[in-house]
Amino acid sequence: MNWKSVIVVGVLSFLPLSLLAQANILNAKKPEDIGKKTEAQMEADDDEPLEYGYVDDRDILWSKTVWEVIDLDERVNFPLYYPTDTIGIGSDRRSLFHVLMKNIQNGKLTDVYTDSYFTEKRTLSDLDATLQSVDTTDYGYEQINAGEALSDEFVIRRDLTAADIEEYRIKGIWYFDKRQGELKYRLLGIAPVAPDVNFVDDESMDPNENKVELFWIWYPSARQILHDAKVFNNRNSAQPISFDMLLNARRFNGVIYKEDNVHGDREINEYIFDNALFQLLEANRIKETIRDREQDMWAY
């Protein structure tokens, strides 16, 4: 064993057991013991998300609000999408959509809104029309017309699942903190996007025109929930990270599709038509403008 291996083993020996993807798995005598922690382990766990520091309005020298799209077809964004099937996998592995929906259903996540301006709240019952479609077959209508009770076999129900989510849209603000002298980013909201549930299986629909923002989550209020939910770490399964850490650290690839502007925050595709390349170049131009802002602050 060389010195590098000795150092690695030594460092890993001081890591808390809470970092393991499945706590106590090496000490479990039965499968039921996996995940059980001792009192000492629970006390050693730092199970709170890192709090945002207070930023006074007078300390913000410059800011820019942007909206980005996270395409789940990109490999780097897979941790937000998988697993889509929860039957054959442990309870510690869930997709971001599953985590959000579970906490909306159990009432822990209540700051759910219609759009990214967070002006109109939505309840779980309000989301039913967005997340579920109910249709009746022709045989069902024949039953109704004949005065008979409608049989369940003639009712088609379609629910949106984690597998139907195609992208996420996020809203955040870049700002220059003059007190600390650096450019920072603060995530404000996140929304899952899927095909319209009424046309999700209709192949004649244009996929790009059939996408719907299901709901918007006010991100600061969801941080504890997303901190408790862990993401699979491809590089080291013994050290999973939380959804909160992944999003705040911007460990994803997002493309800007809108910025705050004088034209009512119009989207890029509203002034660059039918040209995906030029739209992407415009998104990169906005991104570079934001990046250059920090350098320009120090230019004399």
Side-chain angles (χ1 to χ4, degrees), residues 146-209:
E148 302 175 359
L150 180 62
S151 302
D152 291 338
E153 60 182 318
F154 299 136
V155 177
I156 302 174
R157 290 180 172 86
R158 178 65 159 89
D159 295 316
L160 289 179
T161 64
D164 297 314
I165 305 302
E166 296 183 354
E167 60 189 38
Y168 283 94
R169 294 178 185 173
I170 60 173
K171 177 184 179 181
I173 180 171
W174 289 94
Y175 65 96
F176 188 85
D177 190 332
K178 66 180 182 181
R179 183 180 295 273
Q180 299 188 16
E182 60 180 337
L183 185 69
K184 295 184 176 181
Y185 177 78
R186 181 71 60 86
L187 185 58
L188 300 178
I190 185 169
V193 179
D196 190 330
V197 68
N198 298 301
F199 307 100
V200 63
D201 299 317
D202 189 352
E203 297 181 356
S204 64
M205 295 291 295
D206 185 353
N208 295 323
E209 297 180 357

Side-chain angles (χ1 to χ4, degrees), residues 33-53:
D33 295 335
I34 298 176
K36 294 181 180 179
K37 300 180 181 180
T38 64
E39 294 183 3
Q41 287 174 332
M42 289 186 289
E43 291 178 0
D45 285 345
D46 183 12
D47 209 20
E48 295 291 333
L50 183 64
E51 292 186 7
Y52 290 145

Side-chain angles (χ1 to χ4, degrees), residues 63-120:
S63 69
K64 167 70 72 175
T65 303
V66 296
W67 288 256
E68 297 172 82
V69 57
I70 303 174
D71 190 350
L72 297 182
D73 281 337
E74 297 185 33
R75 185 178 298 274
V76 69
N77 298 328
F78 280 178
L80 297 172
Y81 180 70
Y82 291 103
T84 58
D85 188 358
T86 61
I87 296 177
I89 201 166
S91 59
D92 58 327
R93 297 275 305 280
R94 291 294 183 267
S95 67
L96 177 57
F97 181 73
H98 185 276
V99 172
L100 295 176
M101 285 305 306
K102 177 182 177 181
N103 287 277
I104 291 175
Q105 292 168 351
N106 62 25
K108 292 183 179 180
L109 189 55
T110 58
D111 289 331
V112 183
Y113 293 85
T114 303
D115 54 35
S116 60
Y117 294 97
F118 311 107
T119 55
E120 182 181 350

Side-chain angles (χ1 to χ4, degrees), residues 93-276:
R93 297 275 305 280
R94 291 294 183 267
S95 67
L96 177 57
F97 181 73
H98 185 276
V99 172
L100 295 176
M101 285 305 306
K102 177 182 177 181
N103 287 277
I104 291 175
Q105 292 168 351
N106 62 25
K108 292 183 179 180
L109 189 55
T110 58
D111 289 331
V112 183
Y113 293 85
T114 303
D115 54 35
S116 60
Y117 294 97
F118 311 107
T119 55
E120 182 181 350
K121 269 197 169 185
R122 304 191 72 180
T123 62
L124 181 59
S125 59
D126 296 333
L127 297 177
D128 288 341
T130 306
L131 301 173
Q132 182 185 72
S133 67
V134 181
D135 197 6
T136 304
T137 64
D138 293 338
Y139 292 107
Y141 284 116
E142 290 180 3
Q143 276 191 322
I144 296 174
N145 294 332
E148 302 175 359
L150 180 62
S151 302
D152 291 338
E153 60 182 318
F154 299 136
V155 177
I156 302 174
R157 290 180 172 86
R158 178 65 159 89
D159 295 316
L160 289 179
T161 64
D164 297 314
I165 305 302
E166 296 183 354
E167 60 189 38
Y168 283 94
R169 294 178 185 173
I170 60 173
K171 177 184 179 181
I173 180 171
W174 289 94
Y175 65 96
F176 188 85
D177 190 332
K178 66 180 182 181
R179 183 180 295 273
Q180 299 188 16
E182 60 180 337
L183 185 69
K184 295 184 176 181
Y185 177 78
R186 181 71 60 86
L187 185 58
L188 300 178
I190 185 169
V193 179
D196 190 330
V197 68
N198 298 301
F199 307 100
V200 63
D201 299 317
D202 189 352
E203 297 181 356
S204 64
M205 295 291 295
D206 185 353
N208 295 323
E209 297 180 357
N210 194 30
K211 295 179 181 180
V212 177
E213 296 174 354
L214 302 182
F215 50 81
W216 277 87
I217 299 292
W218 175 249
Y219 186 80
S221 65
R223 291 195 64 209
Q224 181 63 60
I225 293 170
L226 297 180
H227 174 77
D228 295 336
K230 304 304 179 183
V231 181
F232 181 75
N233 188 346
N234 283 324
R235 297 185 177 181
N236 187 355
S237 59
Q239 296 186 17
I241 61 175
S242 67
F243 280 109
D244 181 61
M245 178 181 175
L246 182 145
L247 292 169
N248 275 305
R250 293 188 62 86
R251 295 176 62 170
F252 57 83
N253 183 48
V255 177
I256 296 174
Y257 70 91
K258 183 168 70 169
E259 63 171 336
D260 56 342
N261 51 58
V262 70
H263 302 284
D265 299 347
R266 65 178 179 178
E267 298 184 11
I268 292 176
N269 60 13
E270 293 179 4
Y271 61 91
I272 299 180
F273 304 101
D274 299 329
N275 195 319

